Amino acid sequence: MTDKKEYQDQTPAWCPGCGNFGLLNTLQQTMADLAIKPHQYTIVSGIGQAAKLPHYIRCNAFNGLHGRALPVATGIAMTNPEMLVMVNTGDGDCYGEGGNHFLHAIRRNVNVKLFVHNNQIYGLTKGQASPTTGQGMKTKTQPFGSLSAQFNPLALAISLDCSFVARGFVGDMEFLQYLMTEAIHHSGFALIDILQPCVSFNKINTFAWYRERVYHLDESHDPQDRMAAFAKSLQWGDSIPTGIFYRNSRPLLTDQIPPLHEMPLVKQSFDQQETLDLMNEFF
Amino acid sequence: MTDKKEYQDQTPAWCPGCGNFGLLNTLQQTMADLAIKPHQYTIVSGIGQAAKLPHYIRCNAFNGLHGRALPVATGIAMTNPEMLVMVNTGDGDCYGEGGNHFLHAIRRNVNVKLFVHNNQIYGLTKGQASPTTGQGMKTKTQPFGSLSAQFNPLALAISLDCSFVARGFVGDMEFLQYLMTEAIHHSGFALIDILQPCVSFNKINTFAWYRERVYHLDESHDPQDRMAAFAKSLQWGDSIPTGIFYRNSRPLLTDQIPPLHEMPLVKQSFDQQETLDLMNEFF
Amino acid sequence: MMKKAAKIIFYRGDNMDYSIKIAGEAGQGLQTTGAALAKIFSRLRYHVFTHQDYMSRVRGGHNFYQIRIATDPVTAPRQAVHILIALNRESIDIHQDELHENGVILYDPDEVNDKLQGDIFLPTPFAGIAEEEGGKKIMGNSVAIGAVLGLFDIKPDAAKDVIRESLARKNEDIITNNLKAVGGGYRHAREKCARLEHFRTDAPGDEKLLLINGTQAIAFGAVTAGCRFYSAYPMTPSTGIMVYLAGKSKKQKIIVEQAEDEISAINMALGASYAGVRSMTSTSGGGYALMTEGVSLAAMTETPIVICEMQRPGPATGLPTRTEQSDLLFVVHGGHGEFPRVVLTPGTPEQAFHAVNKAFDLAEKYQIPVFVQGDQYLADCEWTSAPFDFSSLRYHDYRLRGEALGELEEYHRYTMTESGISPLAVPGESPHLVVVDSDEHDENGHIIEDGATRNRMVDKRLHRKLKLLRNEISPPELYGPENPEIILIGYGSTYGVIKEVVDLLNDTHRIAMLHFAEVYPFPPQDASGYLDILQAARHTLCVEQNATGQFAMLLHSETGFRCSGRVNRYDGRPFTSDSLREEISAHLQDT
Amino acid sequence: MMKKAAKIIFYRGDNMDYSIKIAGEAGQGLQTTGAALAKIFSRLRYHVFTHQDYMSRVRGGHNFYQIRIATDPVTAPRQAVHILIALNRESIDIHQDELHENGVILYDPDEVNDKLQGDIFLPTPFAGIAEEEGGKKIMGNSVAIGAVLGLFDIKPDAAKDVIRESLARKNEDIITNNLKAVGGGYRHAREKCARLEHFRTDAPGDEKLLLINGTQAIAFGAVTAGCRFYSAYPMTPSTGIMVYLAGKSKKQKIIVEQAEDEISAINMALGASYAGVRSMTSTSGGGYALMTEGVSLAAMTETPIVICEMQRPGPATGLPTRTEQSDLLFVVHGGHGEFPRVVLTPGTPEQAFHAVNKAFDLAEKYQIPVFVQGDQYLADCEWTSAPFDFSSLRYHDYRLRGEALGELEEYHRYTMTESGISPLAVPGESPHLVVVDSDEHDENGHIIEDGATRNRMVDKRLHRKLKLLRNEISPPELYGPENPEIILIGYGSTYGVIKEVVDLLNDTHRIAMLHFAEVYPFPPQDASGYLDILQAARHTLCVEQNATGQFAMLLHSETGFRCSGRVNRYDGRPFTSDSLREEISAHLQDT
Ligand SMILES: Cc1ncc(C[n+]2csc(CCOP(=O)(O)OP(=O)(O)O)c2C)c(N)n1
Ligand SMILES: Cc1ncc(C[n+]2csc(CCOP(=O)(O)OP(=O)(O)O)c2C)c(N)n1
Ligand code: SF4
Ligand code: SF4
Ligand SMILES: [Mg+2]
Ligand SMILES: [Mg+2]
């Protein structure tokens, strides 16, 4: 166990009261408690308020393009399976612009931990509907209310047999830390959709709103049971379950790639001379 | 009811024996039986073998980019809700390159009929794994077999509360015609994932392979029951259900857009003079 | 014929010309205060120019809103500030240097825990006064507005309508208290300011003035051009266009759809255009990058579309809330394969309004993608201007619809014509079928692979149209004497600042501006004599808001002309007329 | 120093120079037959050049595979064909015109229900003979191979190894029967052909020859350059690169990942590069369009990456299996914002092999995106060549790793340096952190918004590196006399055909080729005298496989030089040496 201070970096540029602070603190505490050193993990993010997180925690960081965190993370995780690779990014980033990568990262089952700061809004660009915005919520660009069905990341992940599927809430930090720890310990792609109030642009899904509704999935819920997990994932409204909905033990992509069987790619030496023989195939 | 011949156009450039022929015939027959005239519907497609279909049936057609059929179809359906808009395209096109549009088109619930020619392979580019390729299948670009989990479009669509979700098989044309007819009659976004053997590149999922496995969902299956639909959608392997898995009556996007309440946008006249007053807001 | 600016305005010398800067953190309401002040002065028929500087965050950090007010038209920011409204201590530290020698700094002593000495300070307890007047702390913004009015001795009544409108949805009490706060601020300034003699107003003009920024002008332009479908994905600095159009969606019958990504945005817009309505999308550089494949699709299918690309500093995410002109060549050459396109680069909101109108017309007439390229500076700057001249607006429906279509015996989407333009029919309105294809195709729109058809289609789509398109492009605007010795060359949003610098230097130099508001196809050299004028000049300086001089490159590659020098700025901040004047002077001395 | 081609080869006059065309439907095995024939001749140490023409379909349609065999090096296709193997009736109709006056057409009379008269026909029941020899119908392809050998009186044994290798995974019976079929074809031709006297072989060279196409050369080049991660999305004509690398994945320890789309492909590759290995992606124009945002990301984060862009005719889907050089300016200017990049345009498989090696070196040395641009023609053409010269290959690991990194006291990803190049560390191998950002950032990689840091970073990333990069670019290759009167200018895949045309015309004209294999940054003019040579020539004709003359534009915009004329082809088919010669001659007569 290390001191959490070791994990602090730049001062966050978030709004006072933003749910992101709790998330950041929890993540720092998690890393400290697990004694994972800053250089032992990499955080990849896209663009948005959430995506600024890697600047606020000491880590290796790749703050990439809006929506494109997962492919970058996949590239890192495949090349260096010894690195703990996490993605911290927003709901718009991950489920909107990056939706296709979300699907296919789940299918690949690379060892990436995906922490989505789900504030049900586009924060950084000042309040447009995101895929998770509640139906009917009006914004400056959704004058008739958000008309598309609210995106359900958990149900979708379970439908794709995602290796680890959970929901947390930044107002419940201890539990969130437990979920993060479990996700990190899990071997496989792990999604935690984290309810994170945006105090500036989401006046509906506030701290109070979530607090009134969230509850922990109880012991009777078996995360191995995909049907039960799916049923639970559909629950939203007056009560919103948090916890580990689903987990399985699908093999890791990287375990199935022969070039990785001996050691991470990044550690393998290269000898140009040895490759030149390939020319013989063309005679 | 019209003569099917009225719907024939260019000679297909598909391989002899390809499953696409049955699909094309069924679609032509469906249009003929429903007496929907060629100019009353538009088929949008991407790029691939499947996506060539609009050239082989008389129709309004927009053969667009690889993976981008759904946004084009959405633009048409929103502008002219009186037009029957269909998308005929491939599994790679729709679930690979176009995955993000697939998610969000389902959420929008525009009145588009999506017919995916699912041959579990990239046909036109000569046999790379597609998202629906069975795990373990080797190809020239998947030398260790396809390692990602096989994509399950039905489970995903149900997880997103897609308005109509079905599976058909080109070797079962009568049933397929029934599904197409139901999809067209349904008000809302309708997906039919259509098993379509590729005789050139998919040597596993052949006509015989499918024929041995497919069966019709029986009467006891209630397509209103989302949990049951999800459970059925997970079935794959020795027996593969076909039929209507799920349907609901979510409101159409276009019904919720005030500018469309009177008539299709495309029919509305425009008077420039009436817009000039808007300048007054800037004084 | 070369277009000439109507009159040469002379730089304002002793005329009224003040700059007010409101600075503080995001979330302190400086945008509301700034907007209200700008509107109050423009309603009084003063000329106003505002620009904003904000960070990529929602709260905190350091932002400002700068307003220039004058009796003559103003078209650029200035360096010196006459009134600094500092909403926090940091704002004083950062901006004190910019204060004009006779200027004054307003700050809230309850907020800034420090006694600041001297005439230049006017401690103004914004929140305190608001509360004294019976209102709430948050009404301190109205106090600040009142204080500015006080400095100029403009009666608080002048703020009434603007305050009322900006609070339209609030109850009457709130409005009354805000107005009281304005009065409090007014009295405070009149009583406490030691420098009142430096603030005077000249009589304003008679003409009613618009106050409009670039995104508003573009969006308003789109509505008047008959835009019926707009799909986009939010991206600074283009989002204002979507916000405006969404607000007009119901009344003007425009569908505004937020897409899941930019790829979808452009493809949806193409679908709508195919279906028969005018459509548009907007984005910034990163989103445009994702759209380039769709641009190529528009070209191949010959589907009309208007694309507004609002630039910000790159590469990648860069400085997302600031300005740059660094996507010019990317927009000129973006998209695979070869096809005609038009790129318009308006320099002012008024030009932007007209550019959008022309864009919709050309896009539909030639069935091509047309770009309106701007940047954060154009997007966010507010300009006053005379009411827009609607007489030159175009609207012609080039589409073949309903009966006219039905009467045809045959219809082929890509009929070979001498102009290269084939009839553009609306599907569904007659038994004729409309078939379009991203593959090379025949006249019917069906896939082909043979070389002969390919050649014919390239000739139709590209060569023939290009020939006609060149004639649609307006020549650059020459502002200044006809035989200048020094020419400042620019395009896009630097229009205003270059113009002012010409005004600033034209008593000592034979100097002119040559501004390109339409850059691709490049304006033909024959009709207008711009190339002769360039060649005859001694100094030709290309002024660009980028690091590599893309416009100078384009000018050279299209005309063979090489500018004698370049002035580039790429820190994301706009030129001010003062900073640009200095750079130009330094250049002239060097050579 | 200007690089010179080693020796001027003279056009072959009376030397052995035959073209064989195998034509038929997709799915008839013409690719296998063609490839085997090409290999047989190259093994015999003849020079071989092959090119393919195929439709965007898997079965049916009309395709061909053309093989040129000669004693001298051959670098382009010719118009006339000496042997046409027509696998169906249509192939005779389409190609009969191309037959050389002494040529012969082989066809299967059981397939073509028609009696075709005259010496030029050699009816050859491919399937029938195969069956007679105890094999199956499908072995008709081996009969065709045998027949070709028969025409030249090359003993069937010459085919043995090639047939055996191509059937490596089949059982011995199948191999034996195929070899028998070759024999049957051989005897049939010797016995039945009326034109045997026109087919003769000269003695081949002594040197062992490679036979390799463009995608193979690129992929092989990537392996030897240390590429360890390749992610791509299939797209003709780039897919061959992925196929080759996937085949080597296990042994050479290269991860090959098929991405869900091109956006993912480039971002994955950037992730891998960040993690510490050399990585690459490839695509064609439409996929590149989707990657441009990622290119800009590579630039901003200074992450090395190699991108192969293999062109095909656009816009949009265009002619997906054919060739064009129409993305040049899109690759040069693609991506938002301003940043340095390198674009290499090799003209032959051998050049491509070396270009990829240089691309990996420059990408890592300068931490920039480097492009290798080719096209379908380069991708699919097979060339014989002497064994590649490995002596000039580069491999230097520029990354800071393990101990060397650990020993540093401090590490900042974007340390300001005079060269603009900051140390590139591998994350995880020491306590130093590697922070990269798509926003503008400070030396630590953290977001900044201030103008001063922005300026410094642009200078570091762009200006300083650009200065050094220019010196890395090789001058164009001059082939022909040093003071040519006529210069054929080209870049990329037209190398071979232009060279041959120079050979064809150089006894009557003082003609040379100037070929640019590295086009961006444009080769500096000072070191090599290419601009002087161009200026001194009377005719400077730019030969391009596109409609607008993009290279001529680039040459002009970079050097101010305008070619006197242009030769463009844009029907998706490559120039043949004969067709290009004619066009050039016509040009010269016109002027
Ligand atoms: C290609 C591209 N499109 C759009 C943007 C603009 N953009 C930046 S952040 C963002 C939305 C962020 O929403 P979310 O991911 O939910 O993050 P939050 O700010 O809410 O944490 C958008 C649209 C961009 N940077 N790049
Ligand atoms: C942007 C882009 N990437 C790649 C391609 C190449 N491409 C064309 S079709 C295709 C796959 C087609 O597979 P699928 O959609 O399953 O259709 P099928 O041929 O199997 O019917 C690919 C990768 C393309 N045309 N455009
Ligand atoms: S805008 Fe919302 S999400 Fe962004 S920092 Fe502020 S409160 Fe947090
Ligand atoms: S390749 Fe497969 S999908 Fe394509 S036409 Fe042939 S059999 Fe059908
Ligand atoms: Mg969000
Ligand atoms: Mg397929």
Side-chain angles (χ1 to χ4, degrees), chain A residues 14 20 47-51 65-68 89-94 97 117-125 128 130-131 196 198, chain C residues 233-236 262 283 286-288 290 312 317 320, chain D residues 293:
Chain A
W14 292 318
N20 279 319
I47 295 296
Q49 299 285 23
L65 295 171
H66 184 50
R68 314 305 170 189
T89 208
D91 46 327
D93 192 280
C94 190
E97 185 87 43
H117 306 210
N118 184 357
N119 54 10
Q120 305 190 245
I121 200 80
Y122 284 8
L124 189 62
T125 48
Q128 301 80 23
S130 94
Q196 170 255 311
C198 166
Chain C
Y233 187 80
M235 188 163 190
T236 310
E262 288 84 353
T283 184
Y288 164 69
L290 293 165
R312 62 193 216 187
T317 311
Chain D
E293 195 196 12

Side-chain angles (χ1 to χ4, degrees), chain B residues 13-21 48-50 52 119 121-127 196-202, chain D residues 57-59:
Chain B
W14 292 317
C15 308
C18 174
N20 279 319
F21 288 101
Q49 299 285 22
K52 290 177 183 168
N119 55 9
I121 200 80
Y122 284 8
L124 189 62
T125 48
K126 310 201 168 167
Q196 170 254 312
C198 166
V199 299
S200 291
F201 296 110
N202 190 333
Chain D
R57 58 191 289 170
V58 170
R59 289 285 159 79

Side-chain angles (χ1 to χ4, degrees), chain C residues 296 316-317 338 438 459 547-548 570, chain D residues 296 316-317 338 438 459 547-548 570:
Chain C
S296 183
T317 311
E338 298 174 298
S438 75
D459 290 340
T548 61
Y570 46 86
Chain D
S296 184
T317 311
E338 297 174 298
S438 75
D459 289 340
T548 61
Y570 47 86

Side-chain angles (χ1 to χ4, degrees), chain D residues 12 15-20 37-38 40-42 46-49 67-72 74 83 148 152 154 200-201:
Chain D
R12 36 215 61 74
N15 291 356
M16 168 182 165
D17 181 2
Y18 292 99
S19 292
I20 305 169
L37 269 175
I40 291 167
F41 281 96
S42 75
Y46 291 104
H47 286 278
V48 172
F49 178 93
I67 306 163
R68 188 172 167 197
I69 47 175
T71 39
D72 294 314
V74 275
I83 303 172
V148 171
F152 290 105
I154 296 171
R200 64 174 173 80
T201 52

